[in-house]
Amino acid sequence: MSVFTPVPEPILADWLKDYAIGRLVELKGISAGVQNSNFFVTTTLGRYVLTLFEDMSRAELPYYLHLMAHLARHGLPVPGPIANRHNEYLGTLQERPAALVVRLSGDSEMNPGVAHCEKVGAMLAGLHLAGQSYGRRQENPRGAGWRSATAAVVRPFLPADEQALLDAELAFQASVDIESLPAGAIHADLFRDNVLWDDDDGTPRIGGVIDFYFAGYDALLFDVAVTVNDWCAQPDAALDPQRTAALLEAYHAERPFTDAERAAWPAMLRAAALRFWLSRAADFHQPRAGEMVLVKDPDEYRDILRLRAAGVPPLPL
């Protein structure tokens, strides 16, 4: 959620006249994240998040916005998109596709415990179950085709040992058959900074799940792997046994894992690590210009990939 395209307050104030959410009070850029330009917007009637989409085509954006609306209707803590006076979720601002969503309350927990991981596992299973009735379909934008293309771009920047690691992992993933795995709409980026917590009384409660702009149709197990790799990793990149068990068992209680998923679990953890190693390496070696841009360390997910290839705990029975 960086800021690549600035938005002057007078221009936003005029743009907001097409919405029934009051007049602009405050505009503040958001520095976290790496994909789009994002702002906190406060009006006389509420608090919102404004997103300017930097690289996505206008044609693919309705998938994400309607997915968020679908999940919100199913009771999940997802930021519902705001329609303008023409009943459209998607507008144009600063020559970019733009959308407003409700700003949810809560803060990210960057040092989660067992209780946090348990809640995240149950919530992710609920998201997957609700997504089964979502009528639109759009392939995972960071799926196998993207990983292969991005690997070709970043490979020349890598030292010889990392090139060998990349080549070996791409060959391994090409041999993995995921056709038998349950599939559907996935978040695909459920990192700790994309979950907001409301736990004033000391009991962890999820107040919001944000940033659906990497969502797509893929194996549900890939989404679980992305989540486990972030929420359950220790400082040395190894998986914490207690947090991993809590997340997986809470998920399994809502949507039981299949035998095919148990067999594919080690490969999915590796695929999830590969995806974020590649995206971070691409951002690191070919950064985009912007006012507030966060570039994350690709070495973290290189190390996670190496460890996951060495062995992982099994899924619950």
Side-chain angles (χ1 to χ4, degrees):
M1 297 185 186
S2 300
V3 174
F4 301 99
T5 301
V7 177
E9 288 193 10
I11 290 178
L12 178 60
D14 185 64
W15 188 75
L16 289 176
K17 293 177 182 178
D18 206 29
Y19 292 80
I21 60 172
R23 299 183 303 279
L24 179 64
V25 174
E26 184 182 35
L27 171 66
K28 182 179 180 181
I30 304 174
S31 60
V34 296
Q35 185 71 11
N36 301 307
S37 295
N38 286 266
F39 307 83
F40 290 134
V41 174
T42 303
T43 74
T44 52
L45 295 181
R47 302 193 311 162
Y48 308 90
V49 174
L50 167 68
T51 299
L52 273 62
F53 300 97
E54 299 292 343
D55 294 321
M56 300 177 187
S57 69
R58 179 172 288 272
E60 63 185 320
L61 288 170
Y63 175 87
Y64 306 109
L65 297 171
H66 286 274
L67 174 61
M68 293 159 67
H70 174 87
L71 295 174
R73 287 197 302 273
H74 281 72
L76 289 158
V78 172
I82 304 299
N84 60 23
R85 296 178 188 271
H86 309 287
N87 207 32
E88 298 289 342
Y89 291 142
L90 192 61
T92 301
L93 182 61
Q94 295 294 82
E95 300 181 348
R96 302 285 192 276
L100 280 168
V101 301
V102 174
R103 181 179 174 183
L104 301 177
S105 61
D107 298 295
S108 298
E109 175 54 72
M110 303 310 291
N111 295 294
V114 169
H116 295 96
C117 291
E118 183 179 13
K119 293 292 178 64
V120 166
M123 183 281 305
L124 182 59
L127 188 154
H128 288 166
L129 291 170
Q132 294 295 298
S133 60
Y134 183 51
R136 297 172 185 244
R137 177 166 169 170
Q138 188 164 286
E139 297 302 316
N140 179 2
R142 296 294 183 268
W146 175 90
R147 293 194 290 269
S148 178
T150 304
V153 172
V154 304
R155 191 180 187 280
F157 295 99
L158 303 178
D161 63 322
E162 294 185 10
Q163 289 184 356
L165 174 65
L166 178 59
D167 294 344
E169 190 60 31
L170 288 172
F172 169 76
Q173 291 296 333
S175 70
V176 176
D177 180 14
I178 65 170
E179 295 301 318
S180 63
L181 302 180
I186 66 170
H187 184 285
D189 192 28
L190 196 65
F191 276 48
R192 287 163 288 169
D193 55 357
N194 284 332
V195 177
L196 306 178
W197 295 90
D198 182 9
D199 52 1
D200 291 339
D201 62 356
T203 301
R205 293 186 180 86
I206 295 177
V209 179
I210 61 175
D211 198 1
F212 279 80
Y213 300 116
F214 286 112
Y217 185 91
D218 206 339
L220 303 181
L221 192 64
F222 180 81
D223 216 10
V224 180
V226 168
T227 307
V228 166
N229 273 342
D230 182 66
W231 285 85
C232 305
Q234 301 178 128
D236 63 357
L239 291 175
D240 176 83
Q242 287 75 33
R243 281 185 283 153
T244 303
L247 194 155
L248 293 176
E249 289 171 7
Y251 182 99
H252 179 66
E254 304 296 329
R255 190 193 74 83
F257 293 112
T258 67
D259 289 341
E261 287 178 313
R262 292 188 186 91
W265 178 233
M268 285 295 100
L269 282 170
R270 291 168 62 172
L274 176 64
R275 175 262 187 264
F276 285 97
W277 179 32
L278 286 171
S279 62
R280 291 185 179 190
D283 290 337
F284 181 83
H285 294 294
Q286 295 186 318
R288 294 182 294 165
E291 284 192 336
M292 303 163 60
V293 180
L294 176 64
V295 178
K296 298 182 178 181
D297 180 11
D299 292 351
E300 177 186 5
Y301 270 83
R302 175 204 63 196
D303 295 342
I304 288 176
L305 175 59
R306 284 173 170 159
L307 275 176
R308 302 298 179 267
V312 299
L315 291 178
L317 293 174

